[in-house]
Amino acid sequence: MTIPAFVLKSEFELPGTNAKGYAGIVDYMTDKEKVKKGEAYNTPDYFPEGILSYMSDEKKASGLFTKEKDFVDKNSIRELKESYQQAEQNGSLQWKFVGSFDNEWLKENQILDPDGEVREQTLKKAVRVMMERLIKEEKFIPSQTIWAASFHHNTDNLHFHISLVEKENSRELVKRRQKKIEKTLSPTGMQTRFYRDQGAESLQPKGKLKQTTLEKMKSAFLNELTRPSRKQILEKQTALRDTLVQELQLPQETFTERKELLRILQVLPQDKKKWQYKTISREHPIAKERIDSYTQRYLHNSGNKVAFQQVLKEEARFRERLYGGNHNYKENQMADLEYRLGNRLLKELKVQLEEKNKLRSVSRILQKNQKEDGTSEIRFTLRDRRRLDRVMGDTYQKKLNLLYYDQNEREAEYVRHRQEYGLE
């Protein structure tokens, strides 16, 4: 399986479960022995106490940044800690995120230079977009949320930490068993933390984020990060897809296609409001099968299909490298095209039937005029034309012009015949 270019992990912390609090103690990460020890066990999976102090440690990071500030100075850090402490006192949770990169992928996308220089402004912009998505998906109140982040360079792979709290808890309260954080040393001497069950239940804010939220956060981050470099290929993909859809037009169908269209019409519901591909797929499987057969035959004969599939293949390879594994991107895009073509075909069928119905209306008007005049001659007056204009509408002007032309030809032929026989 392909190693993903970016991994995002999260956890939450309950108020009062960490003896050093949300804000932590700056001395924890400035002690030389702990810094040295910390370098040995600091990985993107580990969340040490004092997240703010840890993130702002200049030996490990390039400094804190927030939604509004690219760099948080010492005075602002002090204010930030006070806000975190207040949030904890108000019963809010703290959410912690770690995003880790494959450095080779960063180099391939010109985010990390060979000499180790990082385009942090680009990364910061993507982090802000990601946090906006988190706030939206989890329905946090923007004015009540505080978050800070920092990029760290002290491991093999560049990674970032983010910490978020609410000034006042807005999360649903749920029953949970009380737990207490305890620490222990592994056989290798690494410090680990675990929660020990205290047995009693209490109401606590719901901290677990939806899995879809984490996926959307990751997508928002990566889309923002890669959009400039992928803009051209994605625009080409969209243009090819739209062309394939727009080129499906029924007036040019062959005799074989007309038979297939008739078979589709035979199984469509009478209510044309249901002529939507989603509804047809759900309620009329035979109609869906025939629609798909028609659109697939159309695609097979289209000159743009190969070009579209080639672009999809290229984008699928890029996304496989980005997310790791196979995410069925090409298959999903082809399914989306099938959906669009199905709706296009149903729309064209509906328009064609409406045209035929309006042409029948034209025929009935002409026949009515003949009976009223009591003559075998077909007369087409200005009044008739105005009435037909109202019936047909401007979009059918070409068909009306053809009708006028045929009418005039018949009248001219009638005059020639009378002249040949000396009747005029």
Side-chain angles (χ1 to χ4, degrees):
M1 179 179 287
T2 306
I3 298 175
F6 175 71
V7 175
L8 180 67
K9 297 184 179 181
S10 72
E11 74 167 19
F12 67 91
E13 185 173 276
L14 296 167
T17 54
N18 190 329
K20 295 184 179 181
Y22 285 175
I25 302 172
V26 174
D27 290 341
Y28 177 80
M29 293 307 297
T30 56
D31 184 290
K32 291 183 180 180
E33 289 302 316
K34 290 185 177 181
V35 169
K36 183 178 179 181
K37 181 181 178 183
E39 289 175 351
Y41 64 75
N42 173 47
T43 69
D45 298 322
Y46 179 73
F47 296 90
E49 304 91 346
I51 190 73
L52 291 178
S53 299
Y54 177 76
M55 290 193 297
S56 62
D57 181 9
E58 295 179 356
K59 296 181 180 180
K60 295 180 176 295
S62 56
L64 287 173
F65 69 95
T66 63
K67 178 181 178 180
E68 297 85 9
K69 297 182 178 181
D70 281 336
F71 181 78
V72 183
D73 57 29
K74 290 184 179 180
N75 290 333
S76 297
I77 288 176
R78 184 162 50 250
E79 294 174 1
L80 199 58
K81 286 184 177 182
E82 292 174 358
S83 296
Y84 269 57
Q85 290 167 351
Q86 188 62 49
E88 185 173 15
Q89 292 173 10
N90 292 338
S92 298
L93 302 177
Q94 179 179 199
W95 286 268
K96 302 174 183 178
F97 304 89
V98 170
S100 180
F101 298 95
D102 178 352
N103 282 5
E104 290 304 313
W105 181 85
L106 291 176
K107 291 175 183 177
E108 291 169 9
N109 289 272
Q110 292 78 49
I111 298 171
L112 177 63
D113 294 338
D115 59 0
E117 189 71 22
V118 180
R119 291 170 52 193
E120 284 200 358
Q121 284 302 118
T122 301
L123 292 171
K124 287 178 180 179
K125 183 179 179 181
V127 167
R128 288 175 175 131
V129 170
M130 181 180 74
M131 296 307 288
E132 286 178 6
R133 177 55 63 90
L134 165 65
I135 290 169
K136 177 182 178 181
E137 294 297 325
E138 291 294 325
K139 295 181 172 57
F140 287 121
I141 302 171
S143 61
Q144 291 292 309
T145 55
I146 305 171
W147 64 264
S150 179
F151 294 102
H152 292 186
H153 310 263
N154 62 304
T155 59
D156 291 339
N157 293 336
L158 175 69
H159 62 279
F160 61 76
H161 291 264
I162 306 175
S163 170
L164 179 145
V165 296
E166 293 183 291
K167 296 177 184 178
E168 299 280 349
N169 175 60
S170 68
R171 306 287 285 182
E172 174 190 1
L173 296 179
V174 294
K175 283 187 177 181
R176 290 189 184 278
R177 299 179 75 84
Q178 293 183 2
K179 296 180 181 179
K180 180 181 179 181
I181 292 181
E182 295 192 5
K183 290 180 274 189
T184 185
L185 293 177
S186 70
T188 60
M190 293 175 61
Q191 188 185 71
T192 59
R193 300 184 304 158
F194 64 93
Y195 288 95
R196 184 179 295 280
D197 195 336
Q198 299 292 93
E201 283 189 345
S202 64
L203 286 175
Q204 300 172 353
K206 184 177 181 180
K208 187 175 182 180
L209 303 176
K210 299 189 293 289
Q211 183 60 35
T212 54
T213 294
L214 295 175
E215 291 172 357
K216 289 178 180 179
M217 288 174 65
K218 184 176 178 180
S219 293
F221 177 81
L222 292 173
N223 287 340
E224 179 64 29
L225 207 59
T226 60
R227 185 172 56 227
S229 61
R230 305 303 297 169
K231 182 178 179 181
Q232 187 174 359
I233 191 71
L234 291 175
E235 286 178 349
K236 182 179 180 181
Q237 176 181 314
T238 301
L240 285 168
R241 182 202 66 195
D242 292 346
T243 299
L244 283 168
V245 173
Q246 294 300 322
E247 286 183 347
L248 196 162
Q249 297 178 356
L250 298 187
Q252 288 79 32
E253 75 268 16
T254 64
F255 176 74
T256 302
E257 289 171 332
R258 284 199 296 272
K259 288 178 60 179
E260 187 66 22
L261 291 172
L262 180 59
R263 293 183 69 243
I264 293 172
L265 287 169
Q266 288 172 343
V267 292
L268 286 177
Q270 291 185 352
D271 185 0
K272 292 184 177 60
K273 292 180 179 179
K274 293 185 177 182
W275 286 23
Q276 300 292 331
Y277 188 75
K278 184 177 181 179
T279 304
I280 298 298
S281 300
R282 184 176 61 248
E283 300 179 7
H284 303 275
I286 296 177
K288 178 188 181 303
E289 181 182 344
R290 295 181 182 180
I291 289 171
D292 291 345
S293 175
Y294 185 94
T295 57
Q296 288 303 314
R297 186 180 296 109
Y298 156 76
L299 274 180
H300 179 74
N301 297 326
S302 173
N304 288 313
K305 179 186 176 182
V306 174
F308 181 67
Q309 289 183 321
Q310 184 60 37
V311 172
L312 289 184
K313 186 176 180 181
E314 181 181 341
E315 183 65 15
R317 283 198 300 264
F318 177 80
R319 288 173 178 265
E320 183 178 346
R321 178 72 178 88
L322 196 62
Y323 295 100
N326 181 12
H327 291 263
N328 301 319
Y329 178 79
K330 183 178 178 181
E331 291 79 3
N332 291 339
Q333 292 299 310
M334 289 303 295
D336 175 69
L337 177 61
E338 180 181 85
Y339 172 84
R340 292 171 183 270
L341 287 173
N343 273 330
R344 174 71 178 184
L345 178 60
L346 289 166
K347 181 179 178 181
E348 288 288 304
L349 283 171
K350 190 182 295 186
V351 169
Q352 194 173 76
L353 287 177
E354 288 174 354
E355 288 183 1
K356 288 182 178 178
N357 289 336
K358 290 185 177 182
L359 286 174
R360 290 193 189 100
S361 176
V362 170
S363 177
R364 286 195 295 269
I365 290 173
L366 291 175
Q367 291 175 5
K368 181 180 178 181
N369 285 344
Q370 279 184 285
K371 292 179 180 178
E372 290 176 353
D373 292 345
T375 176
S376 60
E377 294 184 22
I378 299 176
R379 295 184 179 180
F380 204 35
T381 66
L382 180 60
R383 181 187 175 196
D384 292 330
R385 293 187 182 187
R386 288 174 179 169
R387 290 170 63 188
L388 291 176
D389 283 338
R390 288 195 297 271
V391 172
M392 299 295 289
D394 293 338
T395 57
Y396 303 100
Q397 190 60 46
K398 290 184 179 180
K399 287 183 171 57
L400 287 176
N401 291 340
L402 289 174
L403 194 62
Y404 300 156
Y405 176 80
D406 291 341
Q407 169 73 12
N408 292 332
E409 283 293 301
R410 285 194 294 270
E411 290 179 353
E413 185 68 19
Y414 174 75
V415 171
R416 283 197 297 271
H417 279 295
R418 290 180 62 84
Q419 290 176 342
E420 287 176 3
Y421 292 101
L423 298 175
E424 290 187 357

